[in-house]
């Protein structure tokens, strides 16, 4: 596995559940419709955090931004992740 960085952000379970419900998709259906499985989605709701890779997968599937799907994350760890990503993508 090596030195691969894993970035996580906060998820508000109520906002995420409301979001997928507004799109007419259940957690079970979502697991079969995108590259993220049902068990991972349920773990996200339980742990109240999501990895960047899964967040990007869901964002692409729904064509929505992170704040709309998961709520606001103003934590220092997410702020650090965003700065780190921006610096390394350029």
């Amino acid at each position: 596995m090596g030195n691969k960085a894993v970035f996580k952000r906060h998820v508000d379970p109520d906002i995420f559940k409301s979001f997928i419900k507004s799109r007419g998709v259940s957690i079970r259906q979502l697991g079969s419709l995108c590259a993220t499985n049902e068990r991972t989605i349920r773990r996200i709701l339980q742990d109240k955090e999501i990895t960047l890779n899964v967040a990007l997968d869901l964002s692409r599937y729904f064509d929505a931004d992170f704040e709309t799907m998961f709520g606001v994350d103003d934590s220092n760890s997410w702020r650090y992740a965003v700065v780190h990503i921006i610096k390394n993508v350029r």
Side-chain angles (χ1 to χ4, degrees):
M1 291 251 168
N3 290 335
K4 186 177 178 183
V6 177
F7 298 111
K8 294 184 179 182
R9 82 173 310 279
H10 173 74
V11 173
D12 182 316
D14 295 327
I15 290 174
F16 185 56
K17 286 183 210 177
S18 293
F19 175 80
I20 63 173
K21 185 176 181 180
S22 74
R23 297 294 179 106
V25 178
S26 71
I27 293 171
R28 179 171 287 154
Q29 290 170 323
L30 183 57
S32 65
L33 294 172
C34 66
T36 302
N37 67 42
E38 178 185 356
R39 180 177 275 165
T40 300
I41 295 166
R42 293 193 185 282
R43 187 173 51 247
I44 289 165
L45 293 170
Q46 180 181 354
D47 296 346
K48 298 180 183 179
E49 65 180 10
I50 189 168
T51 62
L52 180 58
N53 286 339
V54 175
L56 288 170
D57 177 43
L58 294 173
S59 178
R60 277 190 296 265
Y61 177 76
F62 285 117
D63 192 27
D65 62 80
F66 290 172
E67 287 190 12
T68 301
M69 293 187 303
F70 312 122
V72 176
D73 184 351
D74 56 0
S75 67
N76 288 333
S77 61
W78 180 243
R79 196 171 298 118
Y80 167 80
V82 171
V83 169
H84 178 80
I85 292 165
I86 290 170
K87 284 182 179 178
N88 288 294
V89 169
R90 291 183 181 179

Coordinates of all heavy atoms in Angstrom, one line a residue:
M1 N 0.8 -1.2 0.0 CA 0.0 0.0 0.0 C 0.9 1.3 0.0 O 0.5 2.2 -0.6 CB -0.9 0.0 1.2 CG -2.0 -1.0 1.1 SD -3.5 -0.2 0.9 CE -4.6 -1.5 0.4
G2 N 1.9 1.3 0.8 CA 2.8 2.4 0.7 C 2.4 3.7 1.4 O 1.7 3.6 2.4
N3 N 2.8 4.8 0.9 CA 2.5 6.1 1.5 C 1.3 6.8 0.9 O 1.3 8.0 0.8 CB 3.7 7.0 1.4 CG 4.9 6.5 2.2 OD1 4.7 5.9 3.2 ND2 6.1 6.9 1.8
K4 N 0.3 6.1 0.5 CA -0.9 6.7 -0.1 C -1.7 7.4 1.0 O -2.1 6.9 2.0 CB -1.8 5.6 -0.7 CG -3.0 6.1 -1.4 CD -3.7 5.0 -2.1 CE -4.9 5.6 -2.8 NZ -5.7 4.5 -3.4
A5 N -1.9 8.7 0.8 CA -2.7 9.5 1.7 C -4.2 9.2 1.6 O -4.7 9.1 0.5 CB -2.4 11.0 1.5
V6 N -4.8 9.1 2.8 CA -6.3 8.9 2.8 C -6.9 10.2 3.4 O -6.6 10.4 4.6 CB -6.6 7.7 3.6 CG1 -8.1 7.5 3.6 CG2 -6.0 6.4 2.9
F7 N -7.6 10.9 2.7 CA -8.3 12.1 3.2 C -9.8 11.7 3.5 O -10.4 11.1 2.7 CB -8.2 13.2 2.2 CG -6.8 13.6 1.9 CD1 -6.3 13.4 0.6 CD2 -6.1 14.3 2.8 CE1 -5.0 13.8 0.3 CE2 -4.8 14.6 2.6 CZ -4.2 14.4 1.3
K8 N -10.2 12.2 4.6 CA -11.6 12.0 5.0 C -12.3 13.3 5.3 O -11.6 14.3 5.8 CB -11.7 11.1 6.2 CG -11.2 9.7 5.9 CD -11.4 8.8 7.1 CE -10.9 7.4 6.7 NZ -11.1 6.4 7.9
R9 N -13.6 13.4 5.2 CA -14.3 14.6 5.5 C -15.6 14.1 6.3 O -16.0 13.0 6.2 CB -14.7 15.4 4.3 CG -15.9 14.9 3.6 CD -16.5 15.7 2.5 NE -16.7 17.1 2.6 CZ -17.8 17.7 3.2 NH1 -18.7 16.9 3.8 NH2 -17.9 19.0 3.3
H10 N -16.1 15.1 7.1 CA -17.3 14.8 7.9 C -18.5 14.6 7.0 O -18.7 15.3 6.0 CB -17.5 16.0 8.8 CG -18.8 15.9 9.6 ND1 -19.0 15.0 10.7 CD2 -20.0 16.6 9.4 CE1 -20.2 15.2 11.1 NE2 -20.8 16.1 10.4
V11 N -19.4 13.8 7.5 CA -20.7 13.6 6.8 C -21.8 13.7 7.8 O -21.7 13.1 8.9 CB -20.8 12.2 6.2 CG1 -22.2 11.9 5.7 CG2 -19.8 12.0 5.1
D12 N -22.8 14.6 7.6 CA -24.0 14.7 8.4 C -24.9 13.6 7.9 O -25.5 13.8 6.8 CB -24.6 16.1 8.3 CG -25.8 16.3 9.2 OD1 -26.6 15.4 9.3 OD2 -25.8 17.3 9.9
P13 N -25.2 12.6 8.7 CA -26.0 11.5 8.2 C -27.4 11.9 7.8 O -28.0 11.4 6.8 CB -26.1 10.5 9.4 CG -24.9 10.8 10.2 CD -24.6 12.3 10.0
D14 N -28.0 12.9 8.5 CA -29.3 13.3 8.2 C -29.4 14.0 6.9 O -30.3 13.8 6.1 CB -29.9 14.3 9.3 CG -30.0 13.5 10.6 OD1 -30.4 12.3 10.6 OD2 -29.8 14.2 11.7
I15 N -28.4 14.9 6.6 CA -28.3 15.6 5.3 C -28.1 14.6 4.2 O -28.8 14.7 3.1 CB -27.2 16.6 5.3 CG1 -27.6 17.8 6.3 CG2 -26.9 17.2 3.9 CD1 -26.5 18.8 6.5
F16 N -27.2 13.6 4.4 CA -27.0 12.6 3.3 C -28.2 11.8 3.0 O -28.6 11.6 1.9 CB -25.8 11.8 3.7 CG -25.4 10.8 2.6 CD1 -25.1 11.3 1.3 CD2 -25.3 9.5 2.8 CE1 -24.7 10.4 0.3 CE2 -24.9 8.6 1.8 CZ -24.6 9.1 0.5
K17 N -28.9 11.3 4.1 CA -30.1 10.5 3.9 C -31.2 11.3 3.2 O -31.8 10.8 2.3 CB -30.6 10.0 5.2 CG -29.8 8.9 5.8 CD -30.4 8.4 7.1 CE -29.5 7.9 8.1 NZ -30.1 7.5 9.4
S18 N -31.3 12.6 3.6 CA -32.3 13.4 3.0 C -32.0 13.7 1.5 O -32.9 13.7 0.6 CB -32.4 14.8 3.7 OG -32.9 14.6 4.9
F19 N -30.7 13.8 1.2 CA -30.2 14.1 -0.1 C -30.6 12.9 -1.0 O -31.2 13.0 -2.1 CB -28.7 14.4 -0.2 CG -28.2 14.5 -1.6 CD1 -28.4 15.7 -2.3 CD2 -27.6 13.4 -2.2 CE1 -27.9 15.8 -3.6 CE2 -27.1 13.5 -3.5 CZ -27.3 14.7 -4.2
I20 N -30.2 11.7 -0.6 CA -30.5 10.5 -1.5 C -32.0 10.2 -1.6 O -32.4 9.8 -2.6 CB -29.7 9.3 -1.1 CG1 -30.0 8.8 0.3 CG2 -28.2 9.5 -1.2 CD1 -29.4 7.4 0.7
K21 N -32.7 10.5 -0.5 CA -34.2 10.4 -0.6 C -34.8 11.3 -1.6 O -35.7 11.0 -2.4 CB -34.8 10.6 0.8 CG -36.2 10.3 0.9 CD -36.8 10.5 2.2 CE -38.3 10.1 2.3 NZ -38.8 10.3 3.6
S22 N -34.2 12.6 -1.6 CA -34.8 13.6 -2.6 C -34.5 13.2 -4.0 O -35.2 13.6 -4.9 CB -34.1 14.9 -2.3 OG -32.8 15.0 -2.7
R23 N -33.5 12.3 -4.2 CA -33.1 11.8 -5.5 C -33.8 10.5 -5.9 O -33.7 10.0 -6.9 CB -31.6 11.6 -5.7 CG -30.8 12.9 -5.5 CD -31.0 13.8 -6.7 NE -30.3 15.1 -6.5 CZ -29.2 15.4 -7.3 NH1 -28.8 14.5 -8.2 NH2 -28.6 16.5 -7.1
G24 N -34.7 10.1 -4.9 CA -35.5 8.9 -5.1 C -34.7 7.6 -5.1 O -35.0 6.6 -5.8
V25 N -33.6 7.6 -4.3 CA -32.7 6.4 -4.3 C -32.6 5.9 -2.9 O -32.4 6.7 -2.0 CB -31.3 6.8 -4.9 CG1 -30.4 5.6 -4.8 CG2 -31.4 7.3 -6.3
S26 N -32.7 4.6 -2.7 CA -32.4 4.1 -1.3 C -30.9 3.7 -1.2 O -30.2 3.7 -2.2 CB -33.2 2.8 -1.1 OG -32.7 1.7 -1.9
I27 N -30.5 3.5 0.0 CA -29.1 3.1 0.3 C -28.8 1.8 -0.5 O -27.7 1.7 -1.1 CB -28.8 3.0 1.8 CG1 -28.9 4.3 2.5 CG2 -27.5 2.4 2.0 CD1 -28.9 4.3 4.0
R28 N -29.7 0.9 -0.4 CA -29.5 -0.4 -1.1 C -29.3 -0.2 -2.7 O -28.5 -0.7 -3.3 CB -30.6 -1.4 -0.8 CG -30.4 -2.7 -1.6 CD -31.4 -3.7 -1.1 NE -31.0 -4.1 0.2 CZ -31.8 -4.6 1.1 NH1 -33.1 -4.7 0.9 NH2 -31.3 -5.0 2.3
Q29 N -30.2 0.6 -3.2 CA -30.2 0.9 -4.7 C -28.9 1.6 -5.0 O -28.3 1.3 -6.0 CB -31.4 1.8 -5.1 CG -32.7 1.1 -5.1 CD -33.8 2.0 -5.3 OE1 -33.8 3.2 -4.8 NE2 -34.9 1.6 -6.0
L30 N -28.5 2.6 -4.2 CA -27.3 3.4 -4.5 C -26.1 2.5 -4.5 O -25.2 2.6 -5.4 CB -27.1 4.4 -3.4 CG -25.9 5.4 -3.6 CD1 -26.0 6.1 -4.9 CD2 -25.9 6.4 -2.4
G31 N -26.0 1.5 -3.6 CA -24.9 0.5 -3.6 C -24.8 -0.2 -5.0 O -23.7 -0.6 -5.4
S32 N -25.9 -0.4 -5.6 CA -25.8 -1.2 -6.9 C -25.7 -0.2 -8.1 O -25.4 -0.7 -9.2 CB -27.0 -2.1 -7.1 OG -28.2 -1.3 -7.2
L33 N -26.0 1.1 -7.9 CA -26.0 2.0 -9.0 C -24.6 2.7 -9.3 O -24.4 3.1 -10.4 CB -27.0 3.1 -8.8 CG -28.5 2.6 -8.8 CD1 -29.4 3.8 -8.4 CD2 -28.9 2.1 -10.2
C34 N -23.8 2.7 -8.3 CA -22.5 3.4 -8.4 C -21.4 2.5 -8.0 O -21.7 1.3 -7.6 CB -22.5 4.7 -7.7 SG -22.6 4.6 -5.9
A35 N -20.2 2.9 -8.0 CA -19.0 2.1 -7.7 C -18.8 1.9 -6.2 O -17.9 1.2 -5.8 CB -17.8 2.7 -8.4
T36 N -19.7 2.4 -5.4 CA -19.6 2.2 -3.9 C -20.6 1.3 -3.5 O -21.8 1.5 -3.8 CB -19.7 3.6 -3.3 OG1 -18.8 4.5 -3.8 CG2 -19.6 3.5 -1.8
N37 N -20.3 0.3 -2.7 CA -21.3 -0.7 -2.3 C -22.1 -0.3 -1.1 O -21.7 0.7 -0.4 CB -20.6 -2.1 -2.1 CG -19.7 -2.2 -0.9 OD1 -20.0 -1.6 0.1 ND2 -18.6 -2.9 -1.1
E38 N -23.2 -1.0 -0.8 CA -24.1 -0.7 0.2 C -23.4 -0.7 1.6 O -23.7 0.2 2.4 CB -25.3 -1.6 0.2 CG -26.3 -1.4 1.3 CD -27.3 -2.5 1.4 OE1 -27.4 -3.4 0.5 OE2 -28.2 -2.4 2.3
R39 N -22.6 -1.6 1.9 CA -21.9 -1.7 3.2 C -21.1 -0.5 3.4 O -21.1 0.0 4.5 CB -21.1 -3.0 3.2 CG -20.4 -3.2 4.5 CD -19.6 -4.4 4.6 NE -20.5 -5.5 5.0 CZ -20.3 -6.8 4.9 NH1 -19.2 -7.2 4.3 NH2 -21.1 -7.7 5.3
T40 N -20.4 0.0 2.4 CA -19.6 1.2 2.6 C -20.4 2.4 2.9 O -20.1 3.2 3.7 CB -18.8 1.4 1.3 OG1 -17.9 0.3 1.0 CG2 -17.9 2.7 1.4
I41 N -21.6 2.5 2.2 CA -22.5 3.6 2.5 C -23.0 3.6 3.9 O -23.1 4.6 4.6 CB -23.6 3.7 1.4 CG1 -23.0 3.9 0.0 CG2 -24.6 4.7 1.8 CD1 -23.9 3.6 -1.1
R42 N -23.4 2.4 4.3 CA -23.9 2.3 5.7 C -22.8 2.6 6.7 O -23.0 3.2 7.8 CB -24.4 0.9 5.9 CG -25.7 0.7 5.1 CD -26.5 -0.5 5.6 NE -27.6 -0.8 4.7 CZ -28.8 -0.1 4.7 NH1 -28.9 0.8 5.6 NH2 -29.7 -0.4 3.9
R43 N -21.5 2.2 6.5 CA -20.4 2.6 7.3 C -20.2 4.1 7.4 O -19.9 4.7 8.4 CB -19.1 1.8 6.9 CG -18.0 2.0 7.9 CD -16.8 1.1 7.6 NE -16.3 1.2 6.2 CZ -16.4 0.2 5.3 NH1 -16.9 -0.9 5.6 NH2 -16.0 0.4 4.1
I44 N -20.3 4.7 6.2 CA -20.2 6.2 6.2 C -21.2 6.8 7.1 O -20.9 7.8 7.9 CB -20.4 6.7 4.7 CG1 -19.2 6.3 3.9 CG2 -20.6 8.2 4.7 CD1 -19.5 6.4 2.4
L45 N -22.4 6.4 7.1 CA -23.5 7.0 7.9 C -23.2 6.7 9.4 O -23.4 7.6 10.3 CB -24.8 6.4 7.5 CG -25.3 6.8 6.2 CD1 -26.6 6.0 5.8 CD2 -25.6 8.3 6.1
Q46 N -22.7 5.5 9.7 CA -22.4 5.2 11.1 C -21.2 6.0 11.6 O -21.2 6.5 12.7 CB -22.1 3.7 11.2 CG -21.8 3.2 12.6 CD -21.5 1.7 12.7 OE1 -21.6 1.0 11.7 NE2 -21.1 1.3 13.8
D47 N -20.1 6.0 10.8 CA -18.9 6.7 11.3 C -18.9 8.2 11.1 O -18.0 8.9 11.6 CB -17.7 6.1 10.5 CG -17.4 4.7 10.7 OD1 -18.0 4.1 11.7 OD2 -16.6 4.1 10.0
K48 N -19.9 8.7 10.3 CA -20.0 10.1 10.0 C -18.8 10.7 9.4 O -18.4 11.9 9.6 CB -20.3 10.9 11.3 CG -21.6 10.5 12.0 CD -21.9 11.3 13.2 CE -23.2 10.8 13.8 NZ -23.5 11.5 15.1
E49 N -18.1 9.9 8.5 CA -17.0 10.4 7.7 C -16.9 9.6 6.4 O -17.4 8.5 6.4 CB -15.7 10.4 8.5 CG -15.2 9.0 8.9 CD -13.9 9.1 9.6 OE1 -13.5 10.2 10.1 OE2 -13.3 8.0 9.8
I50 N -16.3 10.2 5.4 CA -16.2 9.6 4.1 C -14.8 9.9 3.5 O -14.3 10.9 3.7 CB -17.3 10.1 3.2 CG1 -17.4 9.4 1.9 CG2 -17.2 11.6 2.9 CD1 -18.7 9.7 1.0
T51 N -14.3 8.9 2.8 CA -13.0 9.1 2.2 C -13.2 9.9 0.9 O -14.3 9.9 0.3 CB -12.3 7.8 1.8 OG1 -13.1 7.1 0.9 CG2 -12.0 6.9 3.0
L52 N -12.2 10.6 0.5 CA -12.3 11.4 -0.7 C -12.6 10.6 -1.9 O -13.5 11.1 -2.7 CB -10.9 12.2 -0.9 CG -10.9 13.1 -2.1 CD1 -11.9 14.2 -2.0 CD2 -9.5 13.7 -2.2
N53 N -12.1 9.4 -2.1 CA -12.4 8.6 -3.2 C -13.9 8.3 -3.3 O -14.5 8.4 -4.4 CB -11.6 7.3 -3.2 CG -10.1 7.6 -3.6 OD1 -9.8 8.6 -4.2 ND2 -9.3 6.7 -3.2
V54 N -14.5 7.9 -2.2 CA -15.9 7.5 -2.2 C -16.7 8.8 -2.4 O -17.7 8.8 -3.2 CB -16.3 6.8 -0.9 CG1 -17.8 6.5 -0.9 CG2 -15.5 5.5 -0.8
A55 N -16.3 9.9 -1.8 CA -17.1 11.2 -2.0 C -17.1 11.6 -3.4 O -18.1 12.0 -3.9 CB -16.4 12.3 -1.1
L56 N -15.9 11.4 -4.1 CA -15.8 11.8 -5.5 C -16.7 10.9 -6.4 O -17.4 11.3 -7.3 CB -14.4 11.7 -6.0 CG -13.5 12.8 -5.5 CD1 -12.0 12.5 -5.8 CD2 -13.9 14.2 -6.0
D57 N -16.7 9.6 -6.0 CA -17.6 8.6 -6.7 C -19.1 9.0 -6.6 O -19.8 9.1 -7.6 CB -17.4 7.2 -6.2 CG -18.3 6.2 -6.8 OD1 -18.4 6.2 -8.1 OD2 -18.8 5.4 -6.1
L58 N -19.5 9.3 -5.4 CA -20.9 9.7 -5.2 C -21.2 11.1 -5.9 O -22.3 11.3 -6.4 CB -21.2 9.8 -3.7 CG -21.2 8.4 -3.0 CD1 -21.4 8.6 -1.5 CD2 -22.3 7.5 -3.6
S59 N -20.2 12.0 -5.8 CA -20.4 13.3 -6.4 C -20.6 13.2 -7.9 O -21.4 13.9 -8.5 CB -19.2 14.2 -6.1 OG -19.3 15.4 -6.7
R60 N -19.8 12.3 -8.5 CA -19.9 12.1 -10.0 C -21.3 11.5 -10.3 O -21.9 11.9 -11.3 CB -18.8 11.2 -10.5 CG -17.5 11.9 -10.8 CD -16.5 11.0 -11.5 NE -16.1 9.9 -10.7 CZ -15.1 9.8 -9.9 NH1 -14.2 10.9 -9.9 NH2 -14.8 8.8 -9.2
Y61 N -21.7 10.5 -9.5 CA -22.9 9.8 -9.8 C -24.1 10.8 -9.7 O -25.0 10.8 -10.6 CB -23.1 8.6 -8.8 CG -24.5 8.0 -9.0 CD1 -24.7 7.1 -10.1 CD2 -25.5 8.2 -8.2 CE1 -25.9 6.5 -10.3 CE2 -26.8 7.6 -8.4 CZ -26.9 6.8 -9.5 OH -28.2 6.2 -9.7
F62 N -24.1 11.6 -8.6 CA -25.3 12.5 -8.4 C -25.1 13.8 -9.1 O -26.0 14.6 -9.2 CB -25.5 12.7 -7.0 CG -26.2 11.6 -6.2 CD1 -25.5 10.9 -5.2 CD2 -27.4 11.2 -6.6 CE1 -26.1 9.9 -4.6 CE2 -28.1 10.1 -5.9 CZ -27.4 9.5 -4.9
D63 N -23.9 14.1 -9.6 CA -23.6 15.4 -10.2 C -23.9 16.5 -9.2 O -24.6 17.5 -9.5 CB -24.3 15.6 -11.5 CG -23.8 16.9 -12.3 OD1 -22.6 17.2 -12.1 OD2 -24.5 17.5 -13.0
A64 N -23.4 16.4 -8.0 CA -23.6 17.3 -6.9 C -22.3 17.6 -6.1 O -21.4 16.7 -6.2 CB -24.7 16.7 -6.0
D65 N -22.3 18.7 -5.4 CA -21.1 19.0 -4.6 C -21.1 18.4 -3.2 O -22.2 18.0 -2.8 CB -20.9 20.5 -4.5 CG -22.0 21.2 -3.8 OD1 -22.1 21.2 -2.6 OD2 -22.9 21.8 -4.5
F66 N -20.0 18.4 -2.6 CA -19.9 17.7 -1.3 C -20.8 18.3 -0.2 O -21.5 17.6 0.5 CB -18.5 17.8 -0.8 CG -17.5 16.9 -1.5 CD1 -16.1 17.0 -1.2 CD2 -17.9 16.0 -2.5 CE1 -15.2 16.2 -1.9 CE2 -17.0 15.2 -3.2 CZ -15.6 15.3 -2.9
E67 N -20.9 19.7 -0.2 CA -21.7 20.3 0.9 C -23.2 20.0 0.7 O -23.9 19.8 1.7 CB -21.4 21.8 0.9 CG -20.1 22.1 1.5 CD -19.9 23.6 1.8 OE1 -20.9 24.4 1.7 OE2 -18.8 24.0 2.0
T68 N -23.6 19.9 -0.5 CA -25.0 19.6 -0.8 C -25.3 18.2 -0.3 O -26.4 17.9 0.3 CB -25.4 19.7 -2.3 OG1 -25.1 21.1 -2.7 CG2 -26.8 19.4 -2.6
M69 N -24.4 17.2 -0.6 CA -24.6 15.8 -0.3 C -24.4 15.5 1.2 O -25.1 14.7 1.8 CB -23.7 14.9 -1.1 CG -24.1 14.9 -2.6 SD -23.1 13.7 -3.5 CE -21.5 14.2 -3.2
F70 N -23.3 16.1 1.8 CA -22.8 15.6 3.1 C -22.9 16.7 4.2 O -22.7 16.4 5.3 CB -21.4 15.2 3.0 CG -21.1 14.2 1.9 CD1 -20.2 14.5 0.9 CD2 -21.8 13.0 1.8 CE1 -19.9 13.7 -0.1 CE2 -21.6 12.2 0.7 CZ -20.6 12.5 -0.2
G71 N -23.2 17.9 3.8 CA -23.2 19.0 4.8 C -21.9 19.7 4.8 O -20.9 19.3 4.2
V72 N -21.8 20.7 5.6 CA -20.6 21.5 5.7 C -19.5 20.8 6.6 O -19.9 20.2 7.6 CB -20.9 22.9 6.4 CG1 -19.6 23.7 6.6 CG2 -21.8 23.7 5.5
D73 N -18.3 20.9 6.2 CA -17.2 20.4 7.0 C -16.1 21.5 7.1 O -15.4 21.7 6.2 CB -16.5 19.1 6.4 CG -15.5 18.5 7.3 OD1 -15.1 19.1 8.3 OD2 -15.0 17.4 7.0
D74 N -16.1 22.1 8.3 CA -15.1 23.2 8.5 C -14.0 22.8 9.5 O -13.4 23.6 10.1 CB -15.8 24.5 8.9 CG -16.6 24.3 10.2 OD1 -16.7 23.2 10.7 OD2 -17.3 25.3 10.6
S75 N -13.8 21.5 9.5 CA -12.8 20.9 10.4 C -11.4 21.3 9.9 O -11.2 21.5 8.7 CB -12.9 19.4 10.6 OG -12.6 18.8 9.4
N76 N -10.4 21.3 10.8 CA -9.0 21.6 10.4 C -8.5 20.5 9.6 O -7.7 20.7 8.7 CB -8.1 21.8 11.7 CG -8.4 23.1 12.4 OD1 -8.8 24.0 11.7 ND2 -8.2 23.1 13.7
S77 N -8.9 19.2 9.8 CA -8.3 18.1 9.0 C -8.8 18.2 7.6 O -8.0 17.9 6.7 CB -8.7 16.8 9.7 OG -10.1 16.6 9.7
W78 N -10.1 18.6 7.4 CA -10.5 18.7 6.0 C -9.9 19.9 5.3 O -9.5 19.9 4.1 CB -12.1 18.8 5.9 CG -12.6 18.9 4.5 CD1 -13.3 20.0 4.0 CD2 -12.5 18.0 3.5 NE1 -13.6 19.7 2.7 CE2 -13.1 18.5 2.3 CE3 -11.8 16.7 3.4 CZ2 -13.1 17.9 1.1 CZ3 -11.9 16.1 2.1 CH2 -12.5 16.6 1.0
R79 N -9.7 21.0 6.0 CA -9.1 22.2 5.5 C -7.6 21.8 5.1 O -7.2 22.2 4.0 CB -9.0 23.3 6.6 CG -8.7 24.6 6.0 CD -8.9 25.8 7.0 NE -10.3 25.8 7.5 CZ -10.7 25.7 8.7 NH1 -9.9 25.4 9.7 NH2 -12.0 25.7 9.1
Y80 N -6.9 21.0 5.9 CA -5.6 20.6 5.6 C -5.6 19.7 4.3 O -4.8 19.9 3.4 CB -5.0 19.8 6.7 CG -3.7 19.1 6.3 CD1 -2.5 19.7 6.2 CD2 -3.8 17.7 6.0 CE1 -1.4 19.1 5.8 CE2 -2.6 17.0 5.6 CZ -1.4 17.7 5.5 OH -0.3 17.0 5.1
A81 N -6.6 18.8 4.2 CA -6.7 18.0 3.0 C -6.9 18.8 1.8 O -6.2 18.5 0.8 CB -7.8 17.0 3.2
V82 N -7.8 19.7 1.8 CA -8.0 20.6 0.6 C -6.8 21.3 0.2 O -6.4 21.3 -1.0 CB -9.2 21.5 0.9 CG1 -9.4 22.5 -0.2 CG2 -10.5 20.7 1.1
V83 N -6.1 21.9 1.2 CA -4.9 22.7 0.8 C -3.8 21.7 0.3 O -3.2 22.0 -0.8 CB -4.3 23.4 2.1 CG1 -2.9 23.9 1.9 CG2 -5.3 24.5 2.5
H84 N -3.7 20.5 0.9 CA -2.7 19.5 0.4 C -3.0 19.1 -1.1 O -2.1 19.0 -1.9 CB -2.7 18.3 1.3 CG -1.8 17.2 0.9 ND1 -0.4 17.3 1.1 CD2 -2.0 16.1 0.2 CE1 0.1 16.2 0.6 NE2 -0.8 15.5 0.0
I85 N -4.3 18.9 -1.3 CA -4.7 18.4 -2.7 C -4.4 19.5 -3.7 O -3.8 19.3 -4.8 CB -6.1 18.0 -2.7 CG1 -6.3 16.7 -1.9 CG2 -6.7 17.8 -4.1 CD1 -7.8 16.4 -1.5
I86 N -4.8 20.7 -3.4 CA -4.6 21.9 -4.3 C -3.1 22.1 -4.6 O -2.7 22.3 -5.7 CB -5.2 23.1 -3.7 CG1 -6.8 23.0 -3.8 CG2 -4.8 24.4 -4.5 CD1 -7.5 24.1 -3.1
K87 N -2.3 22.0 -3.6 CA -0.8 22.2 -3.8 C -0.3 21.1 -4.7 O 0.7 21.3 -5.5 CB -0.1 22.2 -2.4 CG -0.2 23.5 -1.7 CD 0.6 23.4 -0.4 CE 0.5 24.7 0.4 NZ 1.2 24.5 1.7
N88 N -0.7 19.9 -4.5 CA -0.2 18.7 -5.3 C -0.8 18.5 -6.6 O -0.2 17.8 -7.4 CB -0.2 17.5 -4.4 CG 0.7 17.5 -3.3 OD1 1.9 17.5 -3.5 ND2 0.2 17.6 -2.1
V89 N -1.9 19.1 -6.9 CA -2.5 18.9 -8.2 C -1.9 19.9 -9.2 O -1.8 19.6 -10.4 CB -4.1 19.1 -8.1 CG1 -4.7 19.2 -9.5 CG2 -4.7 18.0 -7.3
R90 N -1.5 21.0 -8.8 CA -0.9 22.0 -9.7 C 0.3 21.5 -10.3 O 1.1 21.2 -10.6 CB -0.7 23.3 -9.0 CG -2.0 24.0 -8.6 CD -1.7 25.3 -7.9 NE -3.0 25.8 -7.6 CZ -3.1 27.0 -7.0 NH1 -2.1 27.7 -6.6 NH2 -4.3 27.4 -6.7

